[in-house]
Amino acid sequence: MSASTEALLIEIVFGVGALVVLGGLAGLLIARAKHQPLRPTMSVILCGAGLAVIALLLNNLLFRSYDHVQLKKNQYYEVTSLTANMKQSLASSRTANQPVSPQAKKASKNVTYLVKNLKQPHHAFTLAKAAQHQLTSVKHPDVQLVRRNYRVILRTYFKQTGITTEQVDQLTAHAYRQATSYQR
């Protein structure tokens, strides 16, 4: 089941819980006006509140927000690991004629490893290998090629998460900014 379907089901459970609470409150007002016992309507309110709390807990346990888009927690950690390794692999390439550091070489290998083990298409794995080759084997790596490959890898990853095309574009841009921006 995709993340958007699970999120939708959780939102439906939350909505049903909220409706039950509202119905219980209306019943409470009616029972109070007619001087009837309040215990049955209070139990309805508690059941609705219980549904709403369960939905909130499920939402917090199963999902994380990445640039205001709900992703499953494992997808969130995968993409943050991928972008962190991309950023580390590009870190020593910020200035011209700078040799690639051993940490950057290791990070580029980690990107290739992650792409392979996240079961990305063969095309993404090929792009990761090409970026790794640029950063580990070439004396003056083509950083623009590496960045372009990383952007395509990120886009491919987000396409497989089961979100809309607009969200894919939004998350790809955000992740690419995370991977290529540097704090001064």
Side-chain angles (χ1 to χ4, degrees), residues 65-153:
S65 178
Y66 188 73
D67 195 32
H68 310 292
V69 176
Q70 292 282 22
L71 292 177
K72 289 182 180 179
K73 272 196 176 179
N74 61 338
Q75 292 171 336
Y76 172 82
Y77 291 121
E78 288 168 356
V79 76
T80 53
S81 177
L82 197 57
T83 55
N85 279 301
M86 287 176 175
K87 184 174 189 156
Q88 180 67 32
S89 70
L90 291 170
S92 65
S93 304
R94 285 182 280 169
T95 57
N97 300 323
Q98 181 79 11
V100 179
S101 70
Q103 295 90 355
K105 290 179 181 181
K106 183 177 180 187
S108 71
K109 289 178 184 177
N110 287 346
V111 170
T112 305
Y113 173 81
L114 284 169
V115 168
K116 180 180 178 185
N117 288 322
L118 294 176
K119 305 209 180 353
Q120 295 297 301
H122 184 70
H123 177 67
F125 180 68
T126 306
L127 292 173
K129 289 291 278 184
Q132 178 183 344
H133 174 74
Q134 284 291 320
L135 292 171
T136 58
S137 302
V138 178
K139 185 170 183 169
H140 297 290
D142 184 359
V143 178
Q144 293 304 320
L145 173 71
V146 173
R147 287 177 175 225
R148 189 175 26 246
N149 288 357
Y150 283 174
R151 180 185 287 275
V152 173
I153 289 168

Side-chain angles (χ1 to χ4, degrees), residues 56-72:
L56 287 174
L57 287 174
L58 282 174
N59 194 23
N60 285 338
L61 291 173
L62 297 177
F63 297 101
R64 291 285 305 254
S65 178
Y66 188 73
D67 195 32
H68 310 292
V69 176
Q70 292 282 22
L71 292 177
K72 289 182 180 179

